[in-house]
Amino acid sequence: MRTMKIGRIMFLVLAAFSIASCSSDNDNEDKVEQVTLYVSAETGTYQNVPDNNYVEGMQIKETGAAHWMCVSFMEITGFTYERGNEYELLVKKTTLANPPQDSGNVRYELIRIVSQRAVE
């Protein structure tokens, strides 16, 4: 009798742990949103991961960000960077739930160019 009570208690404890450890379905979904992205007229450099060389790229930041981030000139799908111009872009930002190991977890796709201004 006592062993059955212990068995039932152990079963309930294991069942509780199993239920608690299940992740939400939302953790496995990409997050998609529209954001405003600013592109600086000045370029910068970033470290290219495969060969550890420093490469020239464009500087971007989202609304409210304090610092510029240097990324590849091809980082924003559908956008072609022109030197000496600063941009305000409306983009679709996709944060990947399960990104590939060899790349970042954020993808940008141009919706439209809000403004473009030549800087001297």
Side-chain angles (χ1 to χ4, degrees), residues 44-89:
T45 58
Y46 66 96
Q47 192 170 11
N48 190 3
V49 174
D51 54 13
N52 286 332
N53 290 332
Y54 283 88
V55 180
E56 183 179 25
M58 61 183 170
Q59 295 189 73
I60 64 171
K61 70 177 178 177
E62 291 184 29
T63 301
H67 302 286
W68 293 95
M69 177 175 61
C70 189
V71 297
S72 164
F73 290 117
M74 298 180 291
E75 185 76 17
I76 305 167
T77 304
F79 174 70
T80 303
Y81 178 81
E82 293 179 22
R83 292 181 189 279
N85 289 288
E86 62 183 20
Y87 301 87
E88 180 180 346
L89 308 175

Side-chain angles (χ1 to χ4, degrees), residues 3-113:
T3 8
M4 286 186 63
K5 276 188 174 180
I6 292 174
R8 286 181 187 163
I9 292 171
M10 291 300 287
F11 175 77
L12 290 174
V13 168
L14 288 173
F17 278 120
S18 295
I19 292 170
S21 67
C22 291
S23 66
S24 161
D25 287 341
N26 293 338
D27 293 345
N28 295 323
E29 293 180 11
D30 295 345
K31 179 182 176 187
V32 179
E33 58 188 322
Q34 285 187 11
V35 298
T36 299
L37 197 64
Y38 298 95
V39 181
S40 174
E42 297 178 23
T43 61
T45 58
Y46 66 96
Q47 192 170 11
N48 190 3
V49 174
D51 54 13
N52 286 332
N53 290 332
Y54 283 88
V55 180
E56 183 179 25
M58 61 183 170
Q59 295 189 73
I60 64 171
K61 70 177 178 177
E62 291 184 29
T63 301
H67 302 286
W68 293 95
M69 177 175 61
C70 189
V71 297
S72 164
F73 290 117
M74 298 180 291
E75 185 76 17
I76 305 167
T77 304
F79 174 70
T80 303
Y81 178 81
E82 293 179 22
R83 292 181 189 279
N85 289 288
E86 62 183 20
Y87 301 87
E88 180 180 346
L89 308 175
L90 182 62
V91 298
K92 178 174 89 171
K93 176 184 177 183
T94 304
T95 305
L96 304 174
N98 297 307
Q101 283 186 320
D102 60 347
S103 67
N105 68 332
V106 176
R107 302 280 186 265
Y108 295 107
E109 183 179 336
L110 179 67
I111 295 172
R112 69 182 169 91
I113 297 174

